[in-house]
């Protein structure tokens, strides 16, 4: 059973979750509004919402590599506000200025797992200097947690199981499937929820 007392200290937090414990948890997927950015008006709506949001869940998806030495740049960026999740396909540069503005906006906290790798790859597509980035894995390690991946953290902190189904699908496809959209939206949404849970427990403070 995951901890339910939001006032508990880092020492009292469960540090790891077993496969058996994870398998027993209820599955959760994002069930809110999703906007797949296709037009300039979609983009303006996303910009207005995200740039006024204090905390944005952030993630990327990349076409899977099956051969040794093969690498790809991100195909999709997911950004979650309190109101909806926005999906930016990176086949066209339409979204680049809005994403750069989001990543450089100091007043908006971008939260996710292993974001350094995502940001390095995105910088090959468009230039930006990131500000106010919070890595949930770092918060977990600071809280002496042994598992720092997004799905383990969701199990430990929120008591839910996030499916992995579409992880290795073709994210470069021009037409994303319903399963891909739900998977991608869930990853950004759960990152935001995890940060808010760290915050509720008093564990979101970052070192200077």
């Amino acid at each position: 059973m995951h901890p339910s007392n939001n006032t508990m200290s880092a020492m009292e937090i469960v540090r790891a979750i077993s496969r058996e414990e994870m398998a027993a948890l209820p599955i959760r997927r994002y069930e809110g509004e999703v906007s797949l950015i296709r037009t300039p008006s979609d983009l303006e709506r996303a910009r207005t919402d995200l740039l006024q949001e204090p905390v944005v869940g952030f993630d990327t998806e990349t076409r899977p590599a099956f051969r040794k030495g093969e690498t790809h740049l991100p195909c999709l960026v997911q950004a979650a506000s309190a109101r909806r999740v926005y999906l930016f396909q990176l086949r066209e540069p339409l979204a680049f200025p809005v994403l750069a503005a989001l990543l450089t906006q100091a007043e908006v906290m971008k939260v996710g797992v292993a974001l350094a790798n995502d940001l390095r790859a995105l910088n090959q597509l468009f230039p930006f200097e990131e500000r106010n980035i919070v890595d949930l894995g770092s918060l977990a390690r600071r809280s002496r947690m042994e598992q720092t991946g997004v799905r383990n953290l969701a199990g430990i902190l929120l008591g839910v199981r996030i499916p992995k189904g579409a992880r290795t699908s073709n994210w470069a496809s021009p037409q994303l499937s319903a399963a891909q959209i739900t998977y991608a939206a869930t990853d950004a949404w759960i990152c935001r929820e995890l940060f808010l849970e760290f915050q509720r427990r008093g564990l979101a403070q970052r070192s200077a």
Side-chain angles (χ1 to χ4, degrees), residues 62-104:
T62 301
R63 177 183 170 190
F66 299 107
R67 292 192 293 271
K68 185 176 180 180
E70 180 184 11
T71 60
H72 300 287
L73 292 175
C75 302
L76 185 74
V77 166
Q78 307 101 274
S81 75
R83 290 155 291 281
R84 65 180 61 225
V85 177
Y86 299 91
L87 304 183
F88 301 86
Q89 289 180 287
L90 303 180
R91 296 168 58 84
E92 301 291 340
L94 176 73
F96 291 178
V98 169
L99 291 172
L102 173 63
L103 290 167
T104 59

Side-chain angles (χ1 to χ4, degrees), residues 109-149:
M109 186 180 298
K110 281 72 65 176
V111 301
V113 172
L115 286 182
N117 296 330
D118 292 344
L119 298 178
R120 252 193 312 272
L122 287 175
N123 237 317
Q124 295 182 56
L125 292 171
F126 55 92
F128 60 90
E129 293 185 11
E130 66 267 20
R131 295 182 179 90
N132 207 356
I133 305 293
V134 177
D135 192 285
L136 299 172
S138 296
L139 293 183
R141 285 186 289 274
R142 197 169 301 137
S143 300
R144 303 184 183 180
M145 297 170 70
E146 297 172 7
Q147 295 169 322
T148 59

